[in-house]
Amino acid sequence: MKQGDDQHGGPTRPTVSDARLASVLDTAVDGILVIEEQGKILVYNKACESLFGYAPEEALGQNVQLIMPSDYASAHDRYLDNYVGTGERKIIGIGREVRARHKDGTEFPVELSVGEARTPDGRQFIGIIRDLRSRKEAERRFNELQADLVHIARVSAMDEMGAALAHELNQPLTAIMLYLQAATRSITRAVQGATLPVETFRQVLEKAVHEAERAGAIISRMRHFVEKREPQRREVEINAIVDEALELVMLGQRNPPRVVRRYSRGLPKALVDAVQIQQIVVNLLRNAVEALKGRELPAITIETRKDGEHLEVVVEDNGPGLPPTAVPTIFKAFSTSKRTGMGLGLSISRTIAQNHAGDLTVDPGGDGRGARFVLQLPIIAAPDNGSADEDAG
């Protein structure tokens, strides 16, 4: 007996269950497909028409490859045959993100969930297809806005450090001016008949070049830190990132705190955006410097280490610690105890860490202990055995 005929060979009337199923199929927001073992489309709901552009009469009876990109289509029948023959699942019972193809040839992302049903007509597979284009566009826009906010926070940090950076740049520029004035005087005397002290003249010019290179390095470091660009993750040495951040923060500090470096050697590399991770360390160091203002014998300890499956950067100061009222909101946006600043530093720092599958936590200290921040980043390579190297600077 074929489906749709009764025992006497005449067409059957739709049952309540049939009508209910048809209503579900027609009103479902997601595409619903049913195929048989050879991949032929048996059910194709209205949402599928919107998704793929094919009318039901164009799709029903066709192989499901009709709506697949060519690289998927070529392997699909083989997957079906393999599953039917061995029972080994590739996607059956598992939801995953794949690409689909519209009638006009364009490809787009979808979420596909596949189930299996054993029927009197043989094994059938039910696919539920959700269009991901709106979600992907929202994610893309969110990532753009987040990247803009991260960039703004870096610019804000440089703005707050403006006076110190100006002071730091003023030193080599002043030295260049003095050296060049001395060189000019030597040339003037030589023109008037005096002997030109060639070796002294050469040394003066070399010193001027050195100071110019120093000023150029400062500007280059600042420009690299604040420039707007797409995130670029690569394998990096975490100790090098910490050192660069430390140099940036200590630029122009008139009475810098003592810095103790405790860097573990032989650490595995981290797959990160180096500038963003440097941004976190800069924020932590600047906060530590701020907390130590007016303290006797101010000191900051920076430690790098491996802890299980993570690399850790620990920044600790010997200041008064964080007040209890500040702890609940310390990682919230626009929360700050500084006289200047937007209150975005720690909030964005934690966001960056979590976007790298890591985290940023704090021990607030107090009772004679300073605050202690721990940045965690996932390890991407097997570690080398090494020992800690302690250097007071």
Side-chain angles (χ1 to χ4, degrees), residues 78-94:
R78 187 172 74 253
Y79 290 155
L80 274 180
D81 291 341
N82 178 70
Y83 174 66
V84 171
T86 67
E88 181 184 356
R89 297 184 173 203
K90 298 288 187 181
I91 193 171
I92 309 297
I94 304 170

Side-chain angles (χ1 to χ4, degrees), residues 244-291:
E244 289 177 7
L246 182 59
E247 290 177 14
L248 196 59
V249 171
M250 293 304 163
L251 286 174
Q253 293 288 338
R254 288 186 171 85
N255 297 298
R258 186 172 68 97
V259 177
V260 179
R261 299 177 180 89
R262 292 177 180 159
Y263 294 172
S264 292
R265 295 175 178 172
L267 288 174
K269 292 183 178 180
L271 183 65
V272 298
D273 181 289
V275 174
Q276 289 190 353
I277 300 306
Q278 188 182 96
Q279 181 176 353
I280 297 176
V281 181
V282 165
N283 282 330
L284 297 181
L285 289 170
R286 289 182 61 240
N287 287 346
V289 170
E290 182 77 17

